[in-house]
Amino acid sequence: MRNLLSAYFSRRTLVSLYNFFIWVFRNLLKTFPLSLIMPQFDADAAVTGAGASASAAPPSVPISFPIKTLKDLESRSYFDSFHFPFNRSSVPLRRNSVDLPDRPRILVCHDMKGGYVNDKWVQGCENDGGFAIWHWYLMDIFVYFSHSLVTLPPPCWVNTAHRHGVKVLGTFITEWDEGKAICKELLETEESAQMYAERLSELAAVLGYDGWLINIENEIEIGQIPNLKVFLGHLTKVMHLSVPGALVIWYDSVTVHGHLEWQDQLNEKNKPFFDICDGIFMNYTWKEDYPKLSAEVSGDRKYDVYMGIDVFGRNTFGGGQWTTNVALDVLKKSDVSAAIFAPGWVYETGQPPDFLTAQNKWWSLVEKSWGIVQTYPEALPFYSDFNRGFGRHVSLGGSQLSDSPWYNLSCQSLQPLLEFNEESNPDTIQVIVDAQEASFNGGGNISFRGRLEEDAVFTARLFKPQLQLSDSPIFVTFSVKTEENSELGIQLHFSSPSQESKSLLLAPRRGTDESIPGFSDTCIPFPVLSSKTPSGWTIYHTSLVMNGHTLTEISTFCSRHCKPSTETQRQEYFALLGYISIEDSCPDPEKNGSFPPASSWIIEARDVELVPGESESGSRNFRGKLEWRLKCPDEFLFSRYNVYAEKGRKKKNKKGGLGSRKLLEGETGERTFLGTAHVDAFYISDLIIEPGVGEVRFRLQAWSFGDSSWQELDASPYLLVDLEGLYDLNKRVWGLYHPIYPEPPRAVHAPFRVRLRVTFSLHHIVTVTLSLKATVHRQLFPKSFSITMMLLKASPAISPLNSGVDEIRLPLSWKSWTLPVCSRKSPGNGLSVRAAKGTNQRALTGVVFEPFEEVKKEMDLVPTVPQVSLARQKFSDESEAAINDQINVEYNVSYIYHALYAYFDRDNVALKGLAKFFRESSVEERGHAEKFMEYQNKRGGRVKLLSILPPLAEFDHAEKGDALYAMELALSLEKLTNEKLLKLHRVAMKNNDVHLVDFVETEFLGEQVESIKRISEYVAQLRRVGKGHGVWHFDQMLLEEGEEAVA
């Protein structure tokens, strides 16, 4: 073989050829986006696509997803998914909620935009505006619903519902023709029906929820009805054996004759299904007498009949929406249960004035009609920090851990039973759960804001417990932050064995000459001790013994502490309640006595990756899964864990000095809060590691089961990860180790096997192929990569330009060839190879290109599909998308200007100059949008018109007046437009799109600067003239400027 190669190529030629290939691959791999080589997991696709795609996906951010096929259900592939361990609920159902109460009940069926929206992110997301429910005290059962075959409730819903004593059901649904085919397979035999029932039962038991809603909304062959009964009955039986208090509820759809006929009442056509399960969810188009008729048919199981109510009001009794209480009143009177479908209507339809207020208002209708159905606490310990599962910051002990918005319903604590008051009266105290003000723990609090007279008091209900107390002391702790002279205490209401009522007020001591107003003989002030935190919170704590009494209510007590010199009788009141805790053991002031030492933990990191970051600073992204366990797990029980990243030792700089001290991009501290875990695992996604950081310490902070205490960070366990020892993709995978070196640095195996293959054929044609195949992480690099060249035995005529390798004296076979190789540091570099013609021994010199040969290559690029643009050339997708975004910006600004024109043109405003100015501005911005659309078409892009938000209709401002306010708004819009234009300019520069750069600079940037200058002058002039007569003169000036321009 060596002699054969020598006959064709000299040793220098072969070495040069090999070095050339190595250089090509090194530069190509440096610029390859990860998505072209490494398979990426699309979480949205996993949710909307087949369930198997998520089951088979590589490690990624944990999500919840449904099972969409019987094959996946039968194969149990869900349990092989990377996401499965994260989807197990961690909060058990309250002990006293295992058996349903013997009374009319409320079932709430979630139907929120098809399911799996913000709640699919198991570890939470950054949308603090996601849908949530916090009125758990008004329901008994919660069903998570979607239109997928097997809807598995996300663990966040299970955790928070169980915390409040509410059972959670998943949904098994088949619909229409596809559902009929599924049912034919499911009910093929009695054995198959039992097998699928057992698979559903296993899912509920392992994931930790309480049963199933079975919804068969398609025709069933009459011969398979017996197997359908087997399926339903077997599922009910196995669920009862697997999960204490489990429920299987049948939906009123298919009849015992196999017909899809909604009955709207319990009768002989659906009662056989009702008899073999735990209840029936009746369709929502029932008549007024149907509930009573259904109760009569049910015998002694009338509370297992759940009459449906569609909140959207689709042919539902009473109309749903804001009259949902009409149907509830009828059901309450008929003494049957209710099933409320799609309370997310409030959120989906954007009911005014905002979601939080509208949600409280709508649920107040349920409370007025049905009353409170859940009471808590009923056991100790009891703790609530009023966290609703979303917020704009995260705090711990009064100190802020993060100022980023977040959404994670698993973090929702026990919710207060605040009474809704629709009338907003500034002379009374407004009580709301507030996610914007400071929090003591989590991201919520209860704020009290308004006016309170000196001798007046204000009380607000928080909780309605039924807590039987013994002769042991209970320990009450709560945190408060108030403004001067505002006082906030906790009032505990008790019932004695003889049914006598008594109240204790837990509040700070007053002077001996002061009394607390509003007290009767049955309400006794009780002293508390207090301590102050550095963040301004006051923590009150006390202990008391109320042997034989029952705690029946917890409320707040607002009062004023005024000095004798105070003259005003009505003053502003403001206070925050951070948390409240009631325990049956003395809280540990050190907080570490009930936590195991760090040495008791085992923490492991799995599926770790360190990949190049997006910035040019050399940062890297850390991804990996943390898992932990106790060496003696039976000794301790924890509800959740805070996860932190801490910077370790600094990496030494070989050139002298030390590397950067930064751990994460944008973080200045040495400890960063990553999130909260409710299982014994946490996935870290794209943690940005700045250059110079050699180690990262991942620390776990455990919370006690009652959520009232947490382990001190310095005593918490941690895992130290040596970043220098990790497999660095940026330097090793993309850098390509040279095969002649047997061992790469740190003895890490070379990531690729490099092979050079030379084959010969007739006519002296030689084919040289360089191929790469992964030797490690083959699941990430399933494909091999190769470059092939066809060479002749002719003379040396190839000369690589700007390649940085030795000259390769081999000709290409018949044409010249250019290989673009781009890098971040020098995007303009390229490799140009020129060939000799025929067997001429001289290279072609002075020839830039051969037109007829070059045009062949370009003709191959001309699209033949009619839907593809013929004019498109060197026009990137990123530029196309950026232009579409700019079109949307221009149209939105034009829309706002048009609304301003309509406002100033009103007969009761009549500022014609301003109206003319904004009309012209609207037309101008619309013209800009059309100019971008024309340019998009010219370059071969596709115009995509996006949604336009509706603007305001009123522009009057109490302090500034309408003219100044409108002109300041216009200035802001012009600056915003300029920012968007500069962003488009940066995109064009990044993609080397010289034509787009010139278009933006020539047509828009100069004009935009002029507009900003002109409107800035208008703002300055309007600030001088104020809101009075000067506005009219300013308006006339604008009108005259327009007329002069026309003249």
Side-chain angles (χ1 to χ4, degrees):
M1 181 65 179
R2 179 178 300 177
N3 294 335
L4 186 59
L5 287 174
S6 299
Y8 277 80
F9 314 112
S10 67
R11 182 179 182 279
R12 175 180 174 83
T13 297
L14 289 175
V15 171
S16 298
L17 178 63
Y18 182 81
N19 289 339
F20 164 69
F21 277 124
I22 288 292
W23 177 82
V24 168
F25 267 105
R26 178 176 289 116
N27 283 276
L28 279 177
L29 289 178
K30 280 182 180 178
T31 57
F32 264 26
L34 289 175
S35 59
L36 296 182
I37 297 179
M38 298 177 64
Q40 297 292 306
F41 173 58
D42 186 349
D44 292 325
V47 173
T48 58
S53 63
S55 299
S60 60
V61 180
I63 63 165
S64 297
F65 58 94
I67 297 174
K68 295 204 168 187
T69 66
L70 281 180
K71 180 180 178 181
D72 291 333
L73 179 61
E74 178 183 2
S75 67
R76 303 174 71 250
S77 61
Y78 179 85
F79 298 112
D80 298 326
S81 166
F82 173 81
H83 305 270
F84 156 63
F86 296 94
N87 277 275
R88 303 174 79 164
S89 65
S90 58
V91 180
L93 186 65
R94 281 193 343 221
R95 292 190 301 271
N96 59 343
S97 300
V98 172
D99 296 324
L100 288 174
D102 189 27
R103 55 161 173 77
R105 310 167 195 135
I106 290 186
L107 178 152
V108 173
C109 188
H110 163 283
D111 180 34
M112 175 59 200
K113 294 185 177 180
Y116 302 103
V117 190
N118 294 292
D119 51 6
K120 74 183 177 186
W121 305 108
V122 177
Q123 295 177 174
C125 65
E126 296 184 351
N127 179 19
D128 63 329
F131 176 68
I133 289 177
W134 51 88
H135 297 84
W136 299 102
Y137 55 91
L138 300 175
M139 68 185 81
D140 300 282
I141 304 167
F142 177 79
V143 179
Y144 192 82
F145 182 88
S146 81
H147 289 276
S148 298
L149 178 66
V150 182
T151 300
L152 307 174
C156 61
W157 289 104
V158 183
N159 287 336
T160 189
H162 280 182
R163 191 175 289 121
H164 291 85
V166 176
K167 294 185 178 184
V168 179
L169 309 184
T171 303
F172 180 84
I173 184 172
T174 61
E175 298 178 282
W176 315 120
D177 291 340
E178 182 183 2
K180 186 175 181 179
I182 290 173
C183 287
K184 186 174 182 179
E185 180 180 352
L186 183 149
L187 306 174
E188 184 176 5
T189 64
E190 184 175 322
E191 290 74 18
S192 66
Q194 292 178 340
M195 181 269 293
Y196 286 116
E198 290 167 6
R199 292 290 187 269
L200 293 177
S201 178
E202 181 186 27
L203 284 166
V206 173
L207 295 179
Y209 54 94
D210 309 291
W212 293 96
L213 170 68
I214 306 300
N215 186 2
I216 308 297
E217 295 206 72
N218 51 259
E219 300 280 342
I220 298 289
E221 294 180 7
I222 187 64
Q224 291 189 322
I225 291 297
N227 287 344
L228 178 59
K229 294 180 181 179
V230 169
F231 169 74
L232 183 61
H234 191 66
L235 176 60
T236 305
K237 178 182 176 181
V238 177
M239 281 300 309
H240 290 173
L241 293 174
S242 305
V243 178
L247 297 175
V248 175
I249 295 179
W250 176 260
Y251 187 76
D252 165 37
S253 49
V254 70
T255 68
V256 291
H257 305 298
H259 303 306
L260 182 59
E261 296 175 347
W262 297 270
Q263 300 299 301
D264 301 328
Q265 61 179 315
L266 188 63
N267 57 27
E268 71 282 356
K269 293 184 179 181
N270 52 28
K271 190 173 184 294
F273 299 119
F274 172 75
D275 291 337
I276 57 177
C277 66
D278 299 303
I280 187 168
F281 185 146
M282 303 306 306
N283 192 47
Y284 45 77
T285 56
W286 44 269
K287 308 300 182 183
E288 187 171 2
D289 59 337
Y290 286 6
K292 285 186 178 181
L293 296 175
S294 298
E296 294 172 0
V297 174
S298 68
D300 59 353
R301 293 184 59 198
K302 59 182 178 180
Y303 300 144
D304 295 334
V305 178
Y306 300 85
M307 303 298 295
I309 305 171
D310 182 14
V311 180
F312 276 84
R314 292 164 288 203
N315 299 319
T316 196
F317 182 86
Q321 301 184 9
W322 292 111
T323 57
T324 299
N325 56 305
V326 173
L328 285 171
D329 292 341
V330 171
L331 300 181
K332 183 76 170 178
K333 184 178 179 181
S334 301
D335 204 27
V336 294
S337 296
I340 300 174
F341 183 77
W345 167 81
V346 176
Y347 183 95
E348 287 194 54
T349 57
Q351 292 298 302
D354 55 77
F355 169 59
L356 301 182
T357 305
Q359 173 98 322
N360 290 331
K361 178 182 177 181
W362 188 88
W363 281 99
S364 70
L365 302 175
V366 180
E367 181 177 352
K368 291 176 183 177
S369 175
W370 211 267
I372 296 172
V373 301
Q374 292 283 351
T375 57
Y376 48 82
E378 295 184 347
L380 297 180
F382 161 69
Y383 171 86
S384 178
D385 53 30
F386 319 112
N387 192 334
R388 281 183 172 167
F390 55 88
R392 299 186 178 180
H393 57 263
V394 179
S395 298
L396 181 65
S399 300
Q400 192 172 94
L401 300 179
S402 170
D403 60 358
S404 299
W406 61 276
Y407 173 95
N408 187 347
L409 294 182
S410 285
C411 295
Q412 188 180 102
S413 62
L414 287 173
Q415 291 299 293
L417 286 63
L418 298 180
E419 298 177 87
F420 177 74
N421 183 9
E422 188 171 3
E423 296 181 2
S424 179
N425 186 351
D427 293 334
T428 62
I429 303 296
Q430 301 298 315
V431 186
I432 61 170
V433 174
D434 194 343
Q436 299 189 32
E437 294 285 351
S439 302
F440 188 84
N441 283 334
N445 60 67
I446 299 183
S447 68
F448 303 81
R449 192 190 307 266
R451 291 191 176 188
L452 192 66
E453 296 183 4
E454 179 181 353
D455 295 328
V457 297
F458 177 84
T459 61
R461 177 189 73 188
L462 293 183
F463 300 99
K464 297 284 288 185
Q466 286 295 320
L467 186 59
Q468 187 77 29
L469 302 178
S470 65
D471 57 356
S472 300
I474 61 173
F475 302 86
V476 183
T477 310
F478 59 98
S479 63
V480 171
K481 180 181 282 192
T482 63
E483 291 184 349
E484 186 178 3
N485 294 331
S486 298
E487 287 188 347
L488 182 65
I490 294 294
Q491 194 170 357
L492 304 179
H493 303 263
F494 299 93
S495 174
S496 69
S498 59
Q499 302 302 313
E500 296 179 354
S501 298
K502 181 183 296 185
S503 299
L504 294 181
L505 175 63
L506 311 182
R509 285 184 179 272
R510 296 189 177 213
T512 56
D513 58 339
E514 292 186 75
S515 61
I516 300 177
F519 268 78
S520 63
D521 295 338
T522 60
C523 191
I524 306 169
F526 199 85
V528 293
L529 302 176
S530 64
S531 59
K532 200 83 170 180
T533 68
S535 55
W537 289 90
T538 302
I539 301 176
Y540 297 102
H541 52 92
T542 189
S543 63
L544 52 95
V545 177
M546 298 294 291
N547 186 19
H549 285 71
T550 301
L551 180 61
T552 58
E553 184 173 325
I554 303 172
S555 59
T556 55
F557 188 93
C558 302
S559 61
R560 301 199 61 79
H561 177 53
C562 298
K563 299 178 181 179
S565 59
T566 302
E567 296 180 358
T568 58
Q569 297 298 309
R570 300 175 65 185
Q571 299 192 13
E572 296 296 327
Y573 181 93
F574 177 76
L576 298 177
L577 180 62
Y579 79 95
I580 181 171
S581 170
I582 304 177
E583 301 179 73
D584 52 7
S585 61
C586 184
D588 179 15
E590 299 296 330
K591 292 185 179 178
N592 288 311
S594 58
F595 293 93
S599 59
S600 301
W601 293 85
I602 299 174
I603 309 177
E604 298 173 327
R606 301 181 183 275
D607 303 309
V608 172
E609 298 178 90
L610 193 62
V611 300
E614 296 181 357
S615 67
E616 298 182 0
S617 64
S619 64
R620 295 158 294 170
N621 291 351
F622 180 96
R623 303 170 188 160
K625 176 185 177 184
L626 297 181
E627 293 181 347
W628 55 88
R629 63 185 183 275
L630 281 167
K631 297 176 181 178
C632 301
D634 295 336
E635 297 182 9
F636 301 92
L637 184 63
F638 305 106
S639 62
R640 52 179 164 147
Y641 306 86
N642 284 348
V643 184
Y644 303 84
E646 300 173 352
K647 183 190 71 179
R649 63 178 171 81
K650 295 173 289 184
K651 183 169 63 177
K652 291 184 179 180
N653 190 337
K654 294 182 179 179
K655 297 181 180 180
L658 297 175
S660 170
R661 296 180 59 87
K662 296 174 68 177
L663 167 68
L664 305 177
E665 188 176 47
E667 297 287 343
T668 57
E670 295 194 359
R671 178 178 294 140
T672 301
F673 174 71
L674 299 181
T676 300
H678 292 82
V679 293
D680 298 336
F682 187 84
Y683 186 79
I684 300 166
S685 171
D686 294 331
L687 181 68
I688 302 175
I689 310 294
E690 288 294 335
V693 178
E695 292 178 344
V696 175
R697 183 183 292 110
F698 295 105
R699 191 177 291 274
L700 304 176
Q701 185 178 40
W703 283 64
S704 65
F705 177 70
D707 283 342
S708 60
S709 61
W710 53 90
Q711 192 169 17
E712 291 295 334
L713 270 175
D714 293 339
S716 299
Y718 64 87
L719 175 68
L720 187 64
V721 177
D722 183 2
L723 299 178
E724 293 181 87
L726 280 179
Y727 189 67
D728 191 337
L729 288 174
N730 189 33
K731 294 182 179 179
R732 296 175 184 170
V733 173
W734 310 121
L736 278 177
Y737 296 125
H738 201 292
I740 66 172
Y741 298 111
E743 290 188 0
R746 289 188 174 271
V748 177
H749 294 292
F752 291 107
R753 180 183 296 113
V754 184
R755 176 176 297 173
L756 181 66
R757 183 178 181 182
V758 182
T759 58
F760 300 87
S761 65
L762 299 176
H763 309 295
H764 303 285
I765 297 176
V766 182
T767 302
V768 182
T769 302
L770 185 78
S771 61
L772 273 73
K773 189 173 184 179
T775 60
V776 294
H777 296 291
R778 294 183 182 179
Q779 71 278 15
L780 300 181
F781 301 95
K783 300 179 180 178
S784 59
F785 306 93
S786 63
I787 287 182
T788 300
M789 279 182 153
M790 299 181 66
L791 309 172
L792 297 177
K793 187 188 172 183
S795 63
I798 299 178
S799 176
L801 305 179
N802 301 323
S803 65
V805 298
D806 293 336
E807 181 181 12
I808 303 175
R809 304 187 60 79
L810 288 172
L812 279 172
S813 56
W814 58 82
K815 65 179 180 179
S816 59
W817 177 57
T818 299
L819 172 67
V821 182
C822 300
S823 65
R824 291 187 177 92
K825 294 183 179 179
S826 54
N829 287 351
L831 176 67
S832 178
V833 181
R834 298 195 182 99
K837 204 171 186 180
T839 58
N840 193 342
Q841 299 294 315
R842 296 181 300 102
L844 294 175
T845 58
V847 178
V848 178
F849 72 102
E850 296 180 59
F852 293 100
E853 294 297 326
E854 289 287 332
V855 79
K856 292 180 181 178
K857 177 180 64 177
E858 295 298 327
M859 288 179 67
D860 292 338
L861 300 178
V862 175
T864 58
V865 181
Q867 292 81 9
V868 179
S869 169
L870 299 174
R872 187 166 188 142
Q873 184 184 28
K874 307 295 183 183
F875 188 50
S876 68
D877 293 339
E878 188 177 8
S879 297
E880 180 182 355
I883 290 175
N884 281 327
D885 289 342
Q886 189 63 35
I887 292 171
N888 181 253
V889 169
E890 302 289 349
Y891 269 129
N892 270 284
V893 174
S894 173
Y895 206 26
I896 296 172
Y897 283 157
H898 217 62
L900 285 164
Y901 153 69
Y903 171 83
F904 286 107
D905 193 54
R906 293 179 187 173
D907 63 334
N908 59 339
V909 179
L911 292 173
K912 298 298 182 180
L914 284 163
K916 186 174 186 297
F917 170 79
F918 285 116
R919 185 185 65 229
E920 292 171 350
S921 298
S922 176
V923 172
E924 180 183 7
E925 298 302 327
R926 186 166 67 251
H928 290 170
E930 292 172 354
K931 186 176 291 187
F932 274 113
M933 294 169 69
E934 180 183 353
Y935 181 82
Q936 183 85 292
N937 289 330
K938 182 184 297 183
R939 293 296 303 276
R942 289 292 179 267
V943 174
K944 293 183 180 179
L945 297 180
L946 307 175
S947 300
I948 301 178
L949 297 177
L952 299 174
E954 302 295 330
F955 297 94
D956 198 8
H957 193 278
E959 297 178 1
K960 301 177 181 179
D962 49 10
L964 176 58
Y965 176 74
M967 202 58 72
E968 287 181 345
L969 175 61
L971 179 59
S972 301
L973 291 172
E974 293 298 323
K975 289 184 175 180
L976 173 64
T977 303
N978 192 51
E979 284 291 330
K980 298 296 184 180
L981 286 169
L982 293 175
K983 179 181 178 181
L984 176 60
H985 187 271
R986 288 193 296 269
V987 170
M989 293 284 290
K990 174 184 174 183
N991 290 280
N992 296 323
D993 196 331
V994 180
H995 194 278
L996 179 56
V997 170
D998 179 71
F999 176 70
V1000 174
E1001 291 177 348
T1002 304
E1003 300 290 338
F1004 296 100
L1005 290 182
E1007 177 185 331
Q1008 201 64 32
V1009 171
E1010 293 293 336
S1011 296
I1012 292 174
K1013 174 66 164 56
R1014 180 172 58 133
I1015 298 178
S1016 298
E1017 293 174 347
Y1018 289 164
V1019 170
Q1021 293 168 3
L1022 284 169
R1023 286 178 177 176
R1024 287 181 180 274
V1025 303
K1027 296 193 298 181
H1029 189 67
V1031 172
W1032 184 84
H1033 285 285
F1034 178 86
D1035 181 73
Q1036 293 299 306
M1037 179 194 73
L1038 290 180
L1039 198 59
E1040 291 171 1
E1041 284 182 354
E1043 292 173 354
E1044 291 174 359
V1046 173

Short mmCIF file of all heavy atoms in Angstrom, two decimals, residues 48 62 176 188 262 286 321 392 398 415 475 671 679 701 768 782 834 869 973:
data_model
loop_
_atom_site.label_atom_id
_atom_site.label_comp_id
_atom_site.label_asym_id
_atom_site.label_seq_id
_atom_site.Cartn_x
_atom_site.Cartn_y
_atom_site.Cartn_z
N THR A 48 -47.06 18.60 22.63
CA THR A 48 -48.07 18.61 21.58
C THR A 48 -47.98 17.40 20.67
O THR A 48 -48.94 17.05 20.00
CB THR A 48 -47.93 19.89 20.73
OG1 THR A 48 -46.61 19.94 20.18
CG2 THR A 48 -48.15 21.12 21.59
N PRO A 62 -37.07 19.31 32.93
CA PRO A 62 -38.17 18.38 33.18
C PRO A 62 -39.53 18.99 32.85
O PRO A 62 -39.80 20.14 33.19
CB PRO A 62 -38.06 18.09 34.69
CG PRO A 62 -36.66 18.44 35.04
CD PRO A 62 -36.28 19.56 34.14
N TRP A 176 -64.46 10.61 19.19
CA TRP A 176 -64.82 10.55 17.79
C TRP A 176 -64.24 9.32 17.10
O TRP A 176 -64.08 8.26 17.70
CB TRP A 176 -64.43 11.87 17.11
CG TRP A 176 -64.83 13.06 17.93
CD1 TRP A 176 -64.01 14.02 18.45
CD2 TRP A 176 -66.15 13.39 18.39
NE1 TRP A 176 -64.72 14.93 19.19
CE2 TRP A 176 -66.04 14.58 19.18
CE3 TRP A 176 -67.41 12.82 18.22
CZ2 TRP A 176 -67.13 15.20 19.77
CZ3 TRP A 176 -68.50 13.44 18.83
CH2 TRP A 176 -68.35 14.61 19.58
N GLU A 188 -60.83 -5.23 23.05
CA GLU A 188 -60.84 -6.39 22.17
C GLU A 188 -61.16 -7.67 22.94
O GLU A 188 -61.92 -8.52 22.47
CB GLU A 188 -59.49 -6.51 21.46
CG GLU A 188 -59.45 -7.64 20.46
CD GLU A 188 -58.12 -7.66 19.70
OE1 GLU A 188 -57.23 -6.86 20.04
OE2 GLU A 188 -57.99 -8.49 18.77
N TRP A 262 -75.58 11.97 25.26
CA TRP A 262 -75.47 12.56 26.59
C TRP A 262 -76.86 12.61 27.22
O TRP A 262 -77.79 13.22 26.67
CB TRP A 262 -74.87 13.96 26.48
CG TRP A 262 -73.47 13.95 25.94
CD1 TRP A 262 -72.32 13.84 26.63
CD2 TRP A 262 -73.09 14.06 24.56
NE1 TRP A 262 -71.22 13.86 25.79
CE2 TRP A 262 -71.67 14.00 24.51
CE3 TRP A 262 -73.79 14.19 23.36
CZ2 TRP A 262 -70.94 14.08 23.32
CZ3 TRP A 262 -73.06 14.26 22.17
CH2 TRP A 262 -71.66 14.21 22.16
N TRP A 286 -78.31 19.93 31.43
CA TRP A 286 -79.47 19.39 32.13
C TRP A 286 -80.55 20.45 32.34
O TRP A 286 -80.29 21.66 32.24
CB TRP A 286 -79.04 18.80 33.48
CG TRP A 286 -78.08 19.63 34.29
CD1 TRP A 286 -76.72 19.58 34.26
CD2 TRP A 286 -78.41 20.64 35.26
NE1 TRP A 286 -76.16 20.47 35.13
CE2 TRP A 286 -77.19 21.15 35.77
CE3 TRP A 286 -79.61 21.17 35.75
CZ2 TRP A 286 -77.13 22.14 36.74
CZ3 TRP A 286 -79.55 22.16 36.72
CH2 TRP A 286 -78.33 22.63 37.20
N GLN A 321 -70.59 31.42 33.44
CA GLN A 321 -69.89 32.71 33.53
C GLN A 321 -70.21 33.38 34.87
O GLN A 321 -70.02 32.78 35.94
CB GLN A 321 -70.23 33.57 32.33
CG GLN A 321 -69.85 32.91 31.01
CD GLN A 321 -70.08 33.77 29.80
OE1 GLN A 321 -70.38 34.96 29.89
NE2 GLN A 321 -69.96 33.18 28.62
N ARG A 392 -42.95 37.74 41.91
CA ARG A 392 -41.94 38.55 41.23
C ARG A 392 -40.61 38.55 41.96
O ARG A 392 -39.69 39.26 41.56
CB ARG A 392 -42.45 39.98 41.04
CG ARG A 392 -43.71 40.03 40.19
CD ARG A 392 -44.15 41.44 39.89
NE ARG A 392 -45.33 41.45 39.04
CZ ARG A 392 -45.93 42.56 38.60
NH1 ARG A 392 -45.45 43.75 38.95
NH2 ARG A 392 -46.99 42.49 37.83
N GLY A 398 -36.90 36.78 55.19
CA GLY A 398 -36.92 38.23 55.01
C GLY A 398 -35.87 38.75 54.06
O GLY A 398 -35.90 39.93 53.70
N GLN A 415 -53.68 28.45 51.59
CA GLN A 415 -54.22 29.74 51.19
C GLN A 415 -55.24 30.26 52.19
O GLN A 415 -56.10 29.51 52.68
CB GLN A 415 -54.87 29.64 49.82
CG GLN A 415 -53.86 29.42 48.70
CD GLN A 415 -52.87 30.56 48.59
OE1 GLN A 415 -53.22 31.67 48.22
NE2 GLN A 415 -51.62 30.29 48.92
N PHE A 475 -47.19 26.51 70.01
CA PHE A 475 -46.27 27.62 69.81
C PHE A 475 -46.66 28.36 68.54
O PHE A 475 -46.69 27.78 67.45
CB PHE A 475 -44.83 27.10 69.72
CG PHE A 475 -44.40 26.32 70.94
CD1 PHE A 475 -44.67 24.96 71.05
CD2 PHE A 475 -43.74 26.97 71.97
CE1 PHE A 475 -44.28 24.26 72.17
CE2 PHE A 475 -43.35 26.26 73.10
CZ PHE A 475 -43.61 24.91 73.21
N ARG A 671 -23.11 33.39 45.55
CA ARG A 671 -24.12 32.34 45.67
C ARG A 671 -25.34 32.73 44.85
O ARG A 671 -25.83 33.84 44.94
CB ARG A 671 -24.50 32.14 47.13
CG ARG A 671 -25.58 31.09 47.35
CD ARG A 671 -25.88 30.92 48.83
NE ARG A 671 -24.75 30.37 49.54
CZ ARG A 671 -24.36 30.75 50.75
NH1 ARG A 671 -25.01 31.71 51.37
NH2 ARG A 671 -23.32 30.20 51.33
N VAL A 679 -38.79 16.98 44.72
CA VAL A 679 -38.37 15.58 44.73
C VAL A 679 -36.87 15.57 44.99
O VAL A 679 -36.24 16.63 45.11
CB VAL A 679 -38.70 14.88 43.39
CG1 VAL A 679 -40.19 14.76 43.20
CG2 VAL A 679 -38.07 15.62 42.21
N GLN A 701 -30.57 23.04 50.42
CA GLN A 701 -31.10 23.55 51.68
C GLN A 701 -32.46 22.91 51.92
O GLN A 701 -33.43 23.19 51.23
CB GLN A 701 -31.23 25.08 51.61
CG GLN A 701 -31.67 25.73 52.91
CD GLN A 701 -31.74 27.23 52.79
OE1 GLN A 701 -32.18 27.75 51.77
NE2 GLN A 701 -31.30 27.93 53.80
N VAL A 768 -10.07 10.50 -2.03
CA VAL A 768 -9.54 10.63 -0.67
C VAL A 768 -10.69 11.04 0.25
O VAL A 768 -11.35 12.05 -0.01
CB VAL A 768 -8.41 11.67 -0.60
CG1 VAL A 768 -7.85 11.75 0.81
CG2 VAL A 768 -7.31 11.31 -1.59
N PRO A 782 -24.70 10.43 16.91
CA PRO A 782 -25.02 9.17 16.24
C PRO A 782 -24.49 9.10 14.82
O PRO A 782 -24.42 8.02 14.26
CB PRO A 782 -26.55 9.15 16.26
CG PRO A 782 -26.93 10.59 16.25
CD PRO A 782 -25.88 11.30 17.05
N ARG A 834 -8.10 26.32 -6.14
CA ARG A 834 -8.15 26.46 -7.59
C ARG A 834 -7.50 25.24 -8.24
O ARG A 834 -6.50 24.72 -7.74
CB ARG A 834 -7.42 27.74 -8.03
CG ARG A 834 -8.08 29.00 -7.46
CD ARG A 834 -7.59 30.23 -8.20
NE ARG A 834 -8.20 31.41 -7.62
CZ ARG A 834 -7.58 32.20 -6.74
NH1 ARG A 834 -6.37 31.90 -6.34
NH2 ARG A 834 -8.18 33.26 -6.27
N SER A 869 -38.71 31.23 -3.11
CA SER A 869 -38.34 32.45 -3.82
C SER A 869 -37.16 32.20 -4.74
O SER A 869 -36.19 31.52 -4.39
CB SER A 869 -37.98 33.54 -2.81
OG SER A 869 -37.39 34.65 -3.46
N LEU A 973 -42.26 56.25 22.09
CA LEU A 973 -42.46 55.35 20.95
C LEU A 973 -41.38 55.54 19.89
O LEU A 973 -40.91 54.56 19.29
CB LEU A 973 -43.84 55.59 20.35
CG LEU A 973 -45.04 55.15 21.20
CD1 LEU A 973 -46.34 55.62 20.57
CD2 LEU A 973 -45.06 53.64 21.37
#
